[in-house]
Amino acid sequence: KGTAMQPLSNSSLNIYLSFLELPKGVQAKIHDGRVGVAAAHQLAKVPAEQREDILKRAEATRLKALEQEEKEDERLAKGAESEAKQEEKAAAKQQKIDAAAVARDEAKAVLLHAEDVHKAATVELNNTSRTGPREEELGGLAYPDWPEKERKVFAERRGAAKVALREAEKALSKAKKEAGNAENALSKLTKAAAEPTEATPAKARKDRKAGKVSPSDVQRAAKEVGVGSTKLV
């Protein structure tokens, strides 16, 4: 019905002719597509008195498979929803990781600057100690090579250098701590994101022909009623 004329091999012709031996009800199912040609060919090879029983069993098997596939569809639909949520969570995790990476880089930049300031303050204090009067000479003791005015200038300079060094040490200590915290935060987020999550169902699935009796359905039904094999010799 509705099939264009085309050349047919002898073996195919014999297969179609064998369908004339099947009961009218089975022929009607072949005609409307509920039983495929391959399944009908398997059915034609079993004893005639068992064909209808085998077909009923095969249809029941296919019906169970259809119900199972519908349940699987529902499970996969839930899985797809869960997968979307997991993707949202993964995106949120990645945003946190990116933000933590930026914070880590900023903390490193602050640390580098603090190290430079500390180094400069140390050099300045060392210079005042090396080129100026000794500490005890700044206390007002007489020293002919260093006039009072110069001793006062160096005293102010050295005092400022000490203050600057203390401030630099505080800033450096704070920058080290913040850089360490930022590095640890990034490490924790990266490690958490790398941990495996529950497997999600595949997005794509093969099309099923649940409503159509398959050759394997007929073969299983034939074995259930005691027909050893439906293969041709």
Side-chain angles (χ1 to χ4, degrees):
K1 180 180 179 181
T3 303
M5 295 296 293
Q6 56 185 344
L8 197 65
S9 65
N10 288 336
S11 59
S12 297
L13 179 60
N14 289 332
I15 288 173
Y16 283 113
L17 289 175
S18 68
F19 298 163
L20 297 176
E21 301 175 5
L22 298 174
K24 294 296 182 182
V26 178
Q27 291 183 23
K29 292 179 180 179
I30 298 171
H31 182 70
D32 61 23
R34 283 179 287 170
V35 177
V37 172
H41 181 43
Q42 296 288 337
L43 196 62
K45 292 184 286 184
V46 301
E49 67 275 9
Q50 294 178 304
R51 287 169 182 167
E52 290 191 80
D53 183 30
I54 289 174
L55 180 57
K56 287 180 181 179
R57 289 173 177 270
E59 289 174 331
T61 299
R62 179 47 45 184
L63 182 60
K64 289 181 180 179
L66 176 58
E67 292 175 351
Q68 184 62 34
E69 288 168 359
E70 288 176 349
K71 291 180 180 179
E72 182 70 6
D73 287 338
E74 293 178 0
R75 187 185 72 81
L76 289 174
K78 292 180 180 179
E81 181 180 354
S82 175
E83 186 175 7
K85 290 181 179 178
Q86 289 183 5
E87 289 178 353
E88 291 179 1
K89 290 181 180 179
K93 286 182 180 179
Q94 189 58 48
Q95 288 180 351
K96 290 182 179 179
I97 290 174
D98 293 342
V102 171
R104 187 271 315 271
D105 293 341
E106 291 177 350
K108 281 187 174 181
V110 172
L111 176 59
L112 290 174
H113 177 70
E115 289 174 346
D116 291 340
V117 172
H118 182 269
K119 183 177 180 180
T122 303
V123 170
E124 173 63 14
L125 182 59
N126 290 338
N127 287 339
T128 61
S129 299
R130 187 174 62 253
T131 60
R134 294 188 299 275
E135 191 69 28
E136 63 270 16
E137 295 169 352
L138 294 174
L141 299 176
Y143 192 73
D145 293 336
W146 291 95
E148 181 68 25
K149 184 177 181 180
E150 292 187 13
R151 284 202 301 268
K152 185 177 180 181
V153 170
F154 269 99
E156 292 176 354
R157 181 181 172 187
R158 185 173 297 172
K162 287 181 178 180
V163 172
L165 182 58
R166 284 196 297 269
E167 295 297 325
E169 287 174 346
K170 291 180 181 178
L172 180 59
S173 177
K174 182 180 179 181
K176 285 182 178 179
K177 184 177 180 180
E178 291 181 352
N181 292 339
E183 188 68 43
N184 290 336
L186 177 60
S187 178
K188 288 181 180 179
L189 289 172
T190 304
K191 184 178 179 180
E195 292 177 354
T197 56
E198 295 182 1
T200 55
K203 293 181 180 179
R205 300 175 60 206
K206 294 182 180 179
D207 292 336
R208 300 189 182 100
K209 296 180 180 179
K212 189 174 183 179
V213 175
S214 68
S216 59
D217 294 331
V218 175
Q219 290 174 356
R220 281 194 294 270
K223 288 181 180 180
E224 290 176 2
V225 298
V227 177
S229 174
T230 59
K231 294 182 179 180
L232 292 177
V233 178

